[in-house]
Amino acid sequence: MSVRVGKTDRAAAFPVAAKTALKNDQLRANVRRATDTIRGKRALRVEEMPDWQQLRDTASAIKAHTLRHLDEYLVEFEKNCELAGGKVHWARDADEANAIAIGLIRQYSEGNSHVEVIKVKTMTSDEVQMNVALEAAGITPIETDLADMIVQMGHDEPSHIVVPALHRNRFEVRDLFRETMHRPELTAEPEDLTGAARAYLRERFLKVKIGVSGANFAIAETGGVCVVESEGNGRMCLTMPDVLISLIGVEKVIPRFEDLEVFLQLLPRSATGERMNPYNSLWCGVHAGDGPKAFHVILLDNGRTKLLHDEMERETLECIRCGACLNACPVYRETGGHAYGSIYSGPIGAILSPQLQSLEHSRSLPYASTLCGACYEVCPVKINIPEILIHLRGRVVREDQATLGGKLAVENLAMQGAAAAFQSQRRYEAAQRLAQAGQMLFRKGDQLENLPGMAGGWTKYRDLKAIPKQSFRDWWKSRSKGASA
Amino acid sequence: MRISLFVACYNDTLFPETGVAVTRVLERLGHTVEFPLAQTCCGQMHYNTGYHREAVPLVRRFVEMFRDAEVVCVPSASCVAMMREHYLMMAEAENDSAFLADVKSLLPRVFEFSELLANRLQTEDVGATFAHSVTYHPSCHSLRMLHVGDAPVRLLRQVRGLTLLELPKKEQCCGFGGTFAVKNADVSVAMLAEKQGCVVETGAEVVTALDNSCLMQIYGGLHRAGSAVRTMHIAEILASEGAAL
C-alpha cells in the first residue's frame, strides 16, 4: 500500500519551508487578512448559539461512536447506497482510488479521445493527487470551485483546506484570468471577476458529462451523500452530468440522517462563519429523469484505518475539515498553508499528514506548533490537537532514539543530560553553577550573545539577559542562614 | 496558611526575582512559605518536546516532594498546565496505584500564583503600590488550559497607582512555545513581532504575565528593538511597595 497525502513525500521540512513563506510579504498579508476576517465572522456566528458547547460534545460523541464501529457503518452504507442504485468501490490507497476513477471515466466515455471531467471542490482528490493521475491518463479535470479553479489555473497548490486560494488577492486573480481566459479587459472588481468565472464555468457545466466530487458526509442509514458549499458550482456538478463519481474518505460516514442536523450547524459556522451553507446537496443512488444516470462511490482508506487502533490517533479522524483550526492558528497565520508540505495544512494537517503517511516525510510537522491551544478551542468536534501533537512528538523521539545517530544527536544528548540533572538536587545545582560560569564566554554586558547550538536560534533574533549570579535557591539559602544566625 | 513554593527550574535559574516576589507577597499576607530545596523541574520541557519517558522520573520527584503540602504555589501557568493536563495520564500509564493515588490527591492542592491569591485565598488586594502603566499578556496556558479568567486582572486592579491598559489581540500566542522558539526560530520571531507591536501600541511602561517564559520571549524582541518597555512577572508588581522602576 502506498499512502500519499498530496505533496508530502517531496516536501521540505517545516522550518525550511516556513522560512520561504515568511519572505513572501504579499502572501502573509493575504493570509492574515483572510484569516482575521473568517475568524471574526466565526466568532459572531458561534456566539449566537446558546448550545454551541453541547453541539460540540454531541458531534464528538457521534464521531467517536462511528469510528468505534466504522466497519459496521461502512457496510451499512454500501448496502443502502447500492439498494438505491449506486455502486460502491473500495480503495486501499491513492493509486487504487485513481485507478478506479480512471477506469470508470474510460468506461463511460468510450470512443472519445478527449475526455473532460468537472470537479467539485474535494480535498480527498487532492490528497490522492487525482488531477495528476487523470492528466497522465489523458483526462482533463476541470476544477469548478472558484478558489480551486484559481489554484488550478495558476499551477499553484491550495494553501487552505476550505479557502484554497486564500493566499491570493484579487489583483493576482485578475492577472491570472486575463491570461488564461484571454480577457485582457477584466478589472479586479469582485463582480467582474465572478462574472468571468461564471461564464467560463457555465460553458463547462453544460458540456461535460462526468462529474467528480468528494463528500462532507456519507450517511449509513440511507446510503446517501452530502456536500455543502457556498457557490452552487457543486450543485451543478452533482446534478448536470450523466455520471457522478464521489471519492469519500472512510471516516466521512455518519450513522443516521438525523445526525446531519448536528454537523450542518457546526460546519458552516466553523468554516466560513455562515449560519448555513448557501448550498446543501444531498443525493442518493439514481433516479429516472433526475440527476446522474450512474452514481459511483469510491471509499478511500489511504492510511485511515490504521489510526483506528490507537485511541488518541483515532480522534484525528473525527475531523470534519472545517478549517477553523487553521484560521485560529498563529503559526498558520504567519506561514500560510504551503509550508506544511501537505495538502492538509495548519494544525489539523500537522497531525493528520504525519499519521496518514509514515512519519518519515513529516517529522517536522508535529513541532510546527507552540501548543497554544487555539486550535483545540475552536474545533467543532473537540479534537485535542495539542495533545495529539505531543503524542506524535513522542513517536518522533522514540524513532530517533532507536538509531545510533538519533542517540548521539545534540538535542537527545542535551535532553538526557537535563533529565539526569533534574533527577538530583546535587546535579541540578551543579548544572546551575556550570551555566552561570559557562555563560562568561557569551556575555556582553548583562546580555548573552551568539549562543552555540540550538540556543543560537534564540540569540540570533532575540536578546537574552545573562543568568543572574544568585539563583532563587541561593537567595533562599542565604535568607534561611540569616534568619537562623 | 502553610504554602509550599514550587518556583520552576527556569525561574529559579533565570528569574530569581520572581520567587523572591512571590515569597514577599505571601508573607506580607501572613502566610508561611516553605521552599523544598530538593525540587527541580515539573517535566514540561521534556514532555512537550516528546521525551515522554524522560519526563516520568521528574513527575515522580515532584509528587514525592509535595505530597504532604497543604497548598503548592507555582508562579508559572505553563508548569501548572503541564501538571493538570498530563500528570494524571502519565500516572495512569505507569501502572502504579500508589503513584496514581498521590497524583490524584495532590493535583487539587496545586495552584498557579494568581489563582491561589484571587480564587483559593480570596485576596485581591495584596497591599501593593506600583505607580506605572501596565499591560497584561494572558499566556496561552493560563488562558486556554488553566482558565484563570480575570484573576490576574482583578489582582492588578487593586494595585495602588497602577494604570491597566488593554493589550490588543491579547489571546494570540507570543511565539515562545518552549523548544518551538529555537526549532522554529523564524516563525517564532514572526509571531513575536506581532505581539511586540501590540505591546508597544498600548503605550504601557510594563508588560506583565503569569509566565516568565512568554516574558523572556517578549523581552527578547523588545530589547533587541531598543524599546524601553519593561517585562515583569505579575508577582513582582504585586510585591512592589512603590519603588521606582
Side-chain angles (χ1 to χ4, degrees), chain A residues 333 367 401 411 415-416 422 428 447 461-463 473 479, chain B residues 12 27 37 39-40 49 51 53 183 186 194 219 223-224:
Chain A
R333 180 182 170 78
Y367 291 95
Q401 288 175 338
E411 182 190 293
M415 286 291 184
Q416 300 306 328
F422 287 144
Y428 168 68
Q447 304 290 316
Y461 305 105
R462 285 154 291 201
D463 284 349
R473 60 182 53 237
R479 179 178 185 251
Chain B
D12 181 15
E27 287 182 349
L37 280 162
Q39 65 177 270
T40 56
T49 314
Y51 293 81
R53 216 171 28 208
K183 276 179 184 271
D186 297 280
E194 190 161 13
Y219 166 87
H223 195 264
R224 176 70 51 109

PDB file of all heavy atoms in Angstrom, chain A residues 333 367 401 411 415-416 422 428 447 461-463 473 479, chain B residues 12 27 37 39-40 49 51 53 183 186 194 219 223-224:
ATOM      1  N   ARG A 333      -1.028  31.455  10.543  1.00  0.00           N
ATOM      2  CA  ARG A 333      -1.215  32.873  10.250  1.00  0.00           C
ATOM      3  C   ARG A 333       0.044  33.508   9.661  1.00  0.00           C
ATOM      4  O   ARG A 333      -0.025  34.401   8.817  1.00  0.00           O
ATOM      5  CB  ARG A 333      -1.593  33.549  11.564  1.00  0.00           C
ATOM      6  CG  ARG A 333      -1.831  35.017  11.508  1.00  0.00           C
ATOM      7  CD  ARG A 333      -2.159  35.520  12.915  1.00  0.00           C
ATOM      8  NE  ARG A 333      -2.153  36.960  12.934  1.00  0.00           N
ATOM      9  CZ  ARG A 333      -3.141  37.706  12.476  1.00  0.00           C
ATOM     10  NH1 ARG A 333      -4.209  37.132  12.013  1.00  0.00           N
ATOM     11  NH2 ARG A 333      -3.056  39.019  12.498  1.00  0.00           N
ATOM     12  N   TYR A 367       6.101  19.421  15.315  1.00  0.00           N
ATOM     13  CA  TYR A 367       6.772  20.500  16.053  1.00  0.00           C
ATOM     14  C   TYR A 367       6.375  21.891  15.527  1.00  0.00           C
ATOM     15  O   TYR A 367       6.875  22.898  16.023  1.00  0.00           O
ATOM     16  CB  TYR A 367       8.292  20.323  15.984  1.00  0.00           C
ATOM     17  CG  TYR A 367       8.754  19.119  16.776  1.00  0.00           C
ATOM     18  CD1 TYR A 367       8.950  17.888  16.163  1.00  0.00           C
ATOM     19  CD2 TYR A 367       8.945  19.209  18.150  1.00  0.00           C
ATOM     20  CE1 TYR A 367       9.336  16.777  16.890  1.00  0.00           C
ATOM     21  CE2 TYR A 367       9.331  18.105  18.893  1.00  0.00           C
ATOM     22  CZ  TYR A 367       9.522  16.891  18.256  1.00  0.00           C
ATOM     23  OH  TYR A 367       9.896  15.798  18.991  1.00  0.00           O
ATOM     24  N   GLN A 401      15.501   7.803  18.761  1.00  0.00           N
ATOM     25  CA  GLN A 401      16.334   7.159  19.781  1.00  0.00           C
ATOM     26  C   GLN A 401      16.661   5.704  19.444  1.00  0.00           C
ATOM     27  O   GLN A 401      17.553   5.114  20.030  1.00  0.00           O
ATOM     28  CB  GLN A 401      15.652   7.242  21.148  1.00  0.00           C
ATOM     29  CG  GLN A 401      15.678   8.649  21.736  1.00  0.00           C
ATOM     30  CD  GLN A 401      14.895   8.761  23.028  1.00  0.00           C
ATOM     31  OE1 GLN A 401      14.014   7.947  23.296  1.00  0.00           O
ATOM     32  NE2 GLN A 401      15.199   9.765  23.836  1.00  0.00           N
ATOM     33  N   GLU A 411      20.343  17.291  20.356  1.00  0.00           N
ATOM     34  CA  GLU A 411      19.139  17.507  21.147  1.00  0.00           C
ATOM     35  C   GLU A 411      18.921  16.361  22.138  1.00  0.00           C
ATOM     36  O   GLU A 411      18.636  16.593  23.313  1.00  0.00           O
ATOM     37  CB  GLU A 411      17.918  17.636  20.230  1.00  0.00           C
ATOM     38  CG  GLU A 411      16.656  17.910  21.023  1.00  0.00           C
ATOM     39  CD  GLU A 411      15.386  17.810  20.198  1.00  0.00           C
ATOM     40  OE1 GLU A 411      15.205  18.652  19.306  1.00  0.00           O
ATOM     41  OE2 GLU A 411      14.587  16.884  20.456  1.00  0.00           O
ATOM     42  N   MET A 415      18.838  16.682  26.145  1.00  0.00           N
ATOM     43  CA  MET A 415      17.642  16.311  26.900  1.00  0.00           C
ATOM     44  C   MET A 415      17.964  15.233  27.937  1.00  0.00           C
ATOM     45  O   MET A 415      17.447  15.265  29.053  1.00  0.00           O
ATOM     46  CB  MET A 415      16.542  15.809  25.943  1.00  0.00           C
ATOM     47  CG  MET A 415      15.890  16.928  25.161  1.00  0.00           C
ATOM     48  SD  MET A 415      14.888  17.987  26.244  1.00  0.00           S
ATOM     49  CE  MET A 415      14.176  19.103  25.056  1.00  0.00           C
ATOM     50  N   GLN A 416      18.802  14.282  27.550  1.00  0.00           N
ATOM     51  CA  GLN A 416      19.195  13.236  28.506  1.00  0.00           C
ATOM     52  C   GLN A 416      19.972  13.867  29.665  1.00  0.00           C
ATOM     53  O   GLN A 416      19.772  13.520  30.824  1.00  0.00           O
ATOM     54  CB  GLN A 416      20.061  12.158  27.843  1.00  0.00           C
ATOM     55  CG  GLN A 416      19.405  11.415  26.689  1.00  0.00           C
ATOM     56  CD  GLN A 416      18.071  10.796  27.061  1.00  0.00           C
ATOM     57  OE1 GLN A 416      17.857  10.389  28.198  1.00  0.00           O
ATOM     58  NE2 GLN A 416      17.143  10.773  26.120  1.00  0.00           N
ATOM     59  N   PHE A 422      17.990  16.975  36.454  1.00  0.00           N
ATOM     60  CA  PHE A 422      16.753  17.256  37.191  1.00  0.00           C
ATOM     61  C   PHE A 422      16.392  16.148  38.191  1.00  0.00           C
ATOM     62  O   PHE A 422      15.489  16.313  38.994  1.00  0.00           O
ATOM     63  CB  PHE A 422      15.583  17.460  36.220  1.00  0.00           C
ATOM     64  CG  PHE A 422      15.622  18.767  35.477  1.00  0.00           C
ATOM     65  CD1 PHE A 422      15.203  18.850  34.152  1.00  0.00           C
ATOM     66  CD2 PHE A 422      16.053  19.937  36.102  1.00  0.00           C
ATOM     67  CE1 PHE A 422      15.220  20.055  33.458  1.00  0.00           C
ATOM     68  CE2 PHE A 422      16.069  21.144  35.418  1.00  0.00           C
ATOM     69  CZ  PHE A 422      15.662  21.206  34.099  1.00  0.00           C
ATOM     70  N   TYR A 428      21.569  19.058  39.794  1.00  0.00           N
ATOM     71  CA  TYR A 428      20.840  20.231  39.294  1.00  0.00           C
ATOM     72  C   TYR A 428      21.562  21.517  39.702  1.00  0.00           C
ATOM     73  O   TYR A 428      21.793  22.413  38.884  1.00  0.00           O
ATOM     74  CB  TYR A 428      19.401  20.199  39.839  1.00  0.00           C
ATOM     75  CG  TYR A 428      18.617  21.479  39.647  1.00  0.00           C
ATOM     76  CD1 TYR A 428      18.238  21.916  38.388  1.00  0.00           C
ATOM     77  CD2 TYR A 428      18.238  22.249  40.752  1.00  0.00           C
ATOM     78  CE1 TYR A 428      17.510  23.086  38.223  1.00  0.00           C
ATOM     79  CE2 TYR A 428      17.512  23.420  40.597  1.00  0.00           C
ATOM     80  CZ  TYR A 428      17.154  23.839  39.331  1.00  0.00           C
ATOM     81  OH  TYR A 428      16.435  24.994  39.176  1.00  0.00           O
ATOM     82  N   GLN A 447      23.861  40.994  28.781  1.00  0.00           N
ATOM     83  CA  GLN A 447      23.173  40.180  27.772  1.00  0.00           C
ATOM     84  C   GLN A 447      24.070  39.031  27.304  1.00  0.00           C
ATOM     85  O   GLN A 447      25.286  39.097  27.406  1.00  0.00           O
ATOM     86  CB  GLN A 447      22.836  41.046  26.547  1.00  0.00           C
ATOM     87  CG  GLN A 447      22.006  42.273  26.853  1.00  0.00           C
ATOM     88  CD  GLN A 447      20.576  41.955  27.247  1.00  0.00           C
ATOM     89  OE1 GLN A 447      19.923  41.136  26.635  1.00  0.00           O
ATOM     90  NE2 GLN A 447      20.087  42.595  28.305  1.00  0.00           N
ATOM     91  N   TYR A 461      18.019  36.179  16.890  1.00  0.00           N
ATOM     92  CA  TYR A 461      16.941  37.138  16.629  1.00  0.00           C
ATOM     93  C   TYR A 461      16.477  37.908  17.857  1.00  0.00           C
ATOM     94  O   TYR A 461      15.712  38.849  17.742  1.00  0.00           O
ATOM     95  CB  TYR A 461      15.704  36.414  16.093  1.00  0.00           C
ATOM     96  CG  TYR A 461      15.930  35.569  14.889  1.00  0.00           C
ATOM     97  CD1 TYR A 461      15.963  34.179  14.996  1.00  0.00           C
ATOM     98  CD2 TYR A 461      16.087  36.154  13.634  1.00  0.00           C
ATOM     99  CE1 TYR A 461      16.141  33.391  13.875  1.00  0.00           C
ATOM    100  CE2 TYR A 461      16.265  35.366  12.512  1.00  0.00           C
ATOM    101  CZ  TYR A 461      16.294  33.980  12.636  1.00  0.00           C
ATOM    102  OH  TYR A 461      16.464  33.204  11.538  1.00  0.00           O
ATOM    103  N   ARG A 462      16.816  37.368  19.047  1.00  0.00           N
ATOM    104  CA  ARG A 462      16.242  37.952  20.254  1.00  0.00           C
ATOM    105  C   ARG A 462      17.327  38.174  21.288  1.00  0.00           C
ATOM    106  O   ARG A 462      18.299  37.415  21.333  1.00  0.00           O
ATOM    107  CB  ARG A 462      15.200  36.986  20.858  1.00  0.00           C
ATOM    108  CG  ARG A 462      13.909  36.936  20.124  1.00  0.00           C
ATOM    109  CD  ARG A 462      13.213  35.607  20.338  1.00  0.00           C
ATOM    110  NE  ARG A 462      13.930  34.521  19.678  1.00  0.00           N
ATOM    111  CZ  ARG A 462      13.409  33.353  19.341  1.00  0.00           C
ATOM    112  NH1 ARG A 462      12.176  33.082  19.620  1.00  0.00           N
ATOM    113  NH2 ARG A 462      14.134  32.426  18.731  1.00  0.00           N
ATOM    114  N   ASP A 463      17.119  39.153  22.132  1.00  0.00           N
ATOM    115  CA  ASP A 463      18.066  39.366  23.211  1.00  0.00           C
ATOM    116  C   ASP A 463      17.745  38.424  24.362  1.00  0.00           C
ATOM    117  O   ASP A 463      16.636  37.900  24.473  1.00  0.00           O
ATOM    118  CB  ASP A 463      18.029  40.826  23.660  1.00  0.00           C
ATOM    119  CG  ASP A 463      18.755  41.726  22.654  1.00  0.00           C
ATOM    120  OD1 ASP A 463      19.430  41.165  21.764  1.00  0.00           O
ATOM    121  OD2 ASP A 463      18.640  42.961  22.741  1.00  0.00           O
ATOM    122  N   ARG A 473      17.229  29.710  44.704  1.00  0.00           N
ATOM    123  CA  ARG A 473      17.560  28.829  45.830  1.00  0.00           C
ATOM    124  C   ARG A 473      18.749  29.373  46.637  1.00  0.00           C
ATOM    125  O   ARG A 473      18.795  29.192  47.850  1.00  0.00           O
ATOM    126  CB  ARG A 473      17.785  27.391  45.383  1.00  0.00           C
ATOM    127  CG  ARG A 473      18.918  27.199  44.368  1.00  0.00           C
ATOM    128  CD  ARG A 473      19.027  25.745  43.942  1.00  0.00           C
ATOM    129  NE  ARG A 473      17.750  25.231  43.477  1.00  0.00           N
ATOM    130  CZ  ARG A 473      17.151  24.149  44.003  1.00  0.00           C
ATOM    131  NH1 ARG A 473      17.727  23.458  44.947  1.00  0.00           N
ATOM    132  NH2 ARG A 473      15.989  23.761  43.525  1.00  0.00           N
ATOM    133  N   ARG A 479      19.005  33.503  52.991  1.00  0.00           N
ATOM    134  CA  ARG A 479      17.986  34.094  53.841  1.00  0.00           C
ATOM    135  C   ARG A 479      17.752  33.214  55.079  1.00  0.00           C
ATOM    136  O   ARG A 479      17.677  33.709  56.202  1.00  0.00           O
ATOM    137  CB  ARG A 479      16.719  34.213  53.021  1.00  0.00           C
ATOM    138  CG  ARG A 479      15.535  34.779  53.716  1.00  0.00           C
ATOM    139  CD  ARG A 479      14.431  34.831  52.692  1.00  0.00           C
ATOM    140  NE  ARG A 479      13.244  35.470  53.191  1.00  0.00           N
ATOM    141  CZ  ARG A 479      12.125  34.826  53.464  1.00  0.00           C
ATOM    142  NH1 ARG A 479      12.055  33.531  53.298  1.00  0.00           N
ATOM    143  NH2 ARG A 479      11.064  35.483  53.892  1.00  0.00           N
TER     144      ARG A 479
ATOM    145  N   ASP B  12      13.915  29.673  38.940  1.00  0.00           N
ATOM    146  CA  ASP B  12      14.986  29.501  39.915  1.00  0.00           C
ATOM    147  C   ASP B  12      16.310  30.002  39.334  1.00  0.00           C
ATOM    148  O   ASP B  12      17.037  30.777  39.959  1.00  0.00           O
ATOM    149  CB  ASP B  12      15.071  28.012  40.277  1.00  0.00           C
ATOM    150  CG  ASP B  12      16.132  27.715  41.315  1.00  0.00           C
ATOM    151  OD1 ASP B  12      16.621  28.656  41.971  1.00  0.00           O
ATOM    152  OD2 ASP B  12      16.496  26.528  41.461  1.00  0.00           O
ATOM    153  N   GLU B  27       4.142  36.227  52.317  1.00  0.00           N
ATOM    154  CA  GLU B  27       4.487  36.509  53.718  1.00  0.00           C
ATOM    155  C   GLU B  27       3.807  37.792  54.203  1.00  0.00           C
ATOM    156  O   GLU B  27       3.369  37.870  55.345  1.00  0.00           O
ATOM    157  CB  GLU B  27       6.013  36.588  53.886  1.00  0.00           C
ATOM    158  CG  GLU B  27       6.641  35.194  53.807  1.00  0.00           C
ATOM    159  CD  GLU B  27       8.151  35.167  54.006  1.00  0.00           C
ATOM    160  OE1 GLU B  27       8.783  36.260  54.012  1.00  0.00           O
ATOM    161  OE2 GLU B  27       8.703  34.060  54.125  1.00  0.00           O
ATOM    162  N   LEU B  37      14.133  22.432  49.039  1.00  0.00           N
ATOM    163  CA  LEU B  37      15.316  22.652  48.201  1.00  0.00           C
ATOM    164  C   LEU B  37      15.586  21.531  47.204  1.00  0.00           C
ATOM    165  O   LEU B  37      16.326  21.721  46.241  1.00  0.00           O
ATOM    166  CB  LEU B  37      16.541  22.845  49.100  1.00  0.00           C
ATOM    167  CG  LEU B  37      16.668  24.253  49.697  1.00  0.00           C
ATOM    168  CD1 LEU B  37      17.611  24.239  50.892  1.00  0.00           C
ATOM    169  CD2 LEU B  37      17.153  25.241  48.640  1.00  0.00           C
ATOM    170  N   GLN B  39      13.585  20.335  45.112  1.00  0.00           N
ATOM    171  CA  GLN B  39      12.765  20.445  43.893  1.00  0.00           C
ATOM    172  C   GLN B  39      13.612  20.830  42.691  1.00  0.00           C
ATOM    173  O   GLN B  39      14.624  21.525  42.807  1.00  0.00           O
ATOM    174  CB  GLN B  39      11.675  21.497  44.095  1.00  0.00           C
ATOM    175  CG  GLN B  39      12.214  22.905  44.281  1.00  0.00           C
ATOM    176  CD  GLN B  39      11.068  23.910  44.409  1.00  0.00           C
ATOM    177  OE1 GLN B  39      10.605  24.448  43.431  1.00  0.00           O
ATOM    178  NE2 GLN B  39      10.611  24.130  45.629  1.00  0.00           N
ATOM    179  N   THR B  40      13.181  20.358  41.504  1.00  0.00           N
ATOM    180  CA  THR B  40      13.914  20.740  40.284  1.00  0.00           C
ATOM    181  C   THR B  40      12.939  21.214  39.207  1.00  0.00           C
ATOM    182  O   THR B  40      12.690  22.403  39.092  1.00  0.00           O
ATOM    183  CB  THR B  40      14.794  19.576  39.754  1.00  0.00           C
ATOM    184  OG1 THR B  40      13.990  18.419  39.537  1.00  0.00           O
ATOM    185  CG2 THR B  40      15.907  19.243  40.738  1.00  0.00           C
ATOM    186  N   THR B  49       8.354  18.210  24.346  1.00  0.00           N
ATOM    187  CA  THR B  49       9.235  18.025  23.190  1.00  0.00           C
ATOM    188  C   THR B  49       9.185  16.576  22.693  1.00  0.00           C
ATOM    189  O   THR B  49       9.738  16.260  21.645  1.00  0.00           O
ATOM    190  CB  THR B  49      10.680  18.435  23.545  1.00  0.00           C
ATOM    191  OG1 THR B  49      10.638  19.696  24.225  1.00  0.00           O
ATOM    192  CG2 THR B  49      11.547  18.613  22.325  1.00  0.00           C
ATOM    193  N   TYR B  51       9.955  13.844  24.791  1.00  0.00           N
ATOM    194  CA  TYR B  51      10.784  12.966  25.636  1.00  0.00           C
ATOM    195  C   TYR B  51       9.938  12.499  26.829  1.00  0.00           C
ATOM    196  O   TYR B  51      10.160  12.896  27.965  1.00  0.00           O
ATOM    197  CB  TYR B  51      12.064  13.693  26.075  1.00  0.00           C
ATOM    198  CG  TYR B  51      12.992  13.960  24.915  1.00  0.00           C
ATOM    199  CD1 TYR B  51      12.782  15.052  24.074  1.00  0.00           C
ATOM    200  CD2 TYR B  51      14.055  13.098  24.628  1.00  0.00           C
ATOM    201  CE1 TYR B  51      13.592  15.289  22.971  1.00  0.00           C
ATOM    202  CE2 TYR B  51      14.871  13.328  23.528  1.00  0.00           C
ATOM    203  CZ  TYR B  51      14.642  14.418  22.711  1.00  0.00           C
ATOM    204  OH  TYR B  51      15.458  14.634  21.618  1.00  0.00           O
ATOM    205  N   ARG B  53       9.370   9.434  28.171  1.00  0.00           N
ATOM    206  CA  ARG B  53       9.984   8.512  29.134  1.00  0.00           C
ATOM    207  C   ARG B  53      10.816   9.301  30.143  1.00  0.00           C
ATOM    208  O   ARG B  53      10.793   9.041  31.325  1.00  0.00           O
ATOM    209  CB  ARG B  53      10.882   7.555  28.351  1.00  0.00           C
ATOM    210  CG  ARG B  53      10.890   6.168  28.883  1.00  0.00           C
ATOM    211  CD  ARG B  53      11.627   5.224  27.951  1.00  0.00           C
ATOM    212  NE  ARG B  53      12.669   5.907  27.167  1.00  0.00           N
ATOM    213  CZ  ARG B  53      13.065   5.483  25.966  1.00  0.00           C
ATOM    214  NH1 ARG B  53      12.498   4.450  25.407  1.00  0.00           N
ATOM    215  NH2 ARG B  53      14.029   6.101  25.312  1.00  0.00           N
ATOM    216  N   LYS B 183      13.504  25.598  17.606  1.00  0.00           N
ATOM    217  CA  LYS B 183      13.335  24.670  16.483  1.00  0.00           C
ATOM    218  C   LYS B 183      12.715  25.386  15.287  1.00  0.00           C
ATOM    219  O   LYS B 183      12.961  25.036  14.145  1.00  0.00           O
ATOM    220  CB  LYS B 183      12.396  23.527  16.881  1.00  0.00           C
ATOM    221  CG  LYS B 183      13.074  22.376  17.615  1.00  0.00           C
ATOM    222  CD  LYS B 183      12.012  21.333  17.958  1.00  0.00           C
ATOM    223  CE  LYS B 183      12.554  20.199  18.768  1.00  0.00           C
ATOM    224  NZ  LYS B 183      13.077  19.114  17.940  1.00  0.00           N
ATOM    225  N   ASP B 186      12.392  31.112  13.118  1.00  0.00           N
ATOM    226  CA  ASP B 186      11.901  32.138  12.200  1.00  0.00           C
ATOM    227  C   ASP B 186      10.416  32.440  12.421  1.00  0.00           C
ATOM    228  O   ASP B 186      10.007  33.595  12.461  1.00  0.00           O
ATOM    229  CB  ASP B 186      12.126  31.708  10.743  1.00  0.00           C
ATOM    230  CG  ASP B 186      13.597  31.567  10.438  1.00  0.00           C
ATOM    231  OD1 ASP B 186      14.238  32.599  10.205  1.00  0.00           O
ATOM    232  OD2 ASP B 186      14.117  30.430  10.480  1.00  0.00           O
ATOM    233  N   GLU B 194       4.465  40.495  15.978  1.00  0.00           N
ATOM    234  CA  GLU B 194       3.098  40.993  16.086  1.00  0.00           C
ATOM    235  C   GLU B 194       2.753  41.313  17.549  1.00  0.00           C
ATOM    236  O   GLU B 194       2.148  42.335  17.866  1.00  0.00           O
ATOM    237  CB  GLU B 194       2.110  39.983  15.500  1.00  0.00           C
ATOM    238  CG  GLU B 194       0.720  40.566  15.381  1.00  0.00           C
ATOM    239  CD  GLU B 194      -0.191  39.817  14.410  1.00  0.00           C
ATOM    240  OE1 GLU B 194       0.164  38.699  14.009  1.00  0.00           O
ATOM    241  OE2 GLU B 194      -1.256  40.366  14.084  1.00  0.00           O
ATOM    242  N   TYR B 219      10.499  40.079  26.049  1.00  0.00           N
ATOM    243  CA  TYR B 219      11.683  40.892  26.370  1.00  0.00           C
ATOM    244  C   TYR B 219      12.692  40.795  25.227  1.00  0.00           C
ATOM    245  O   TYR B 219      13.263  41.806  24.781  1.00  0.00           O
ATOM    246  CB  TYR B 219      12.332  40.405  27.682  1.00  0.00           C
ATOM    247  CG  TYR B 219      13.719  40.965  27.910  1.00  0.00           C
ATOM    248  CD1 TYR B 219      13.885  42.198  28.543  1.00  0.00           C
ATOM    249  CD2 TYR B 219      14.859  40.295  27.466  1.00  0.00           C
ATOM    250  CE1 TYR B 219      15.154  42.732  28.725  1.00  0.00           C
ATOM    251  CE2 TYR B 219      16.126  40.817  27.645  1.00  0.00           C
ATOM    252  CZ  TYR B 219      16.271  42.041  28.277  1.00  0.00           C
ATOM    253  OH  TYR B 219      17.509  42.573  28.447  1.00  0.00           O
ATOM    254  N   HIS B 223      13.738  44.251  23.659  1.00  0.00           N
ATOM    255  CA  HIS B 223      15.085  44.736  23.954  1.00  0.00           C
ATOM    256  C   HIS B 223      15.916  44.814  22.681  1.00  0.00           C
ATOM    257  O   HIS B 223      16.663  45.775  22.477  1.00  0.00           O
ATOM    258  CB  HIS B 223      15.750  43.830  24.991  1.00  0.00           C
ATOM    259  CG  HIS B 223      16.970  44.435  25.613  1.00  0.00           C
ATOM    260  ND1 HIS B 223      18.240  44.159  25.149  1.00  0.00           N
ATOM    261  CD2 HIS B 223      17.110  45.301  26.643  1.00  0.00           C
ATOM    262  CE1 HIS B 223      19.115  44.834  25.889  1.00  0.00           C
ATOM    263  NE2 HIS B 223      18.464  45.547  26.798  1.00  0.00           N
ATOM    264  N   ARG B 224      15.757  43.814  21.804  1.00  0.00           N
ATOM    265  CA  ARG B 224      16.511  43.838  20.545  1.00  0.00           C
ATOM    266  C   ARG B 224      16.116  45.063  19.719  1.00  0.00           C
ATOM    267  O   ARG B 224      16.938  45.664  19.022  1.00  0.00           O
ATOM    268  CB  ARG B 224      16.248  42.523  19.785  1.00  0.00           C
ATOM    269  CG  ARG B 224      16.864  42.379  18.415  1.00  0.00           C
ATOM    270  CD  ARG B 224      18.368  42.225  18.371  1.00  0.00           C
ATOM    271  NE  ARG B 224      18.992  41.224  19.188  1.00  0.00           N
ATOM    272  CZ  ARG B 224      19.560  40.110  18.750  1.00  0.00           C
ATOM    273  NH1 ARG B 224      19.525  39.792  17.479  1.00  0.00           N
ATOM    274  NH2 ARG B 224      20.178  39.291  19.589  1.00  0.00           N
TER     275      ARG B 224
END
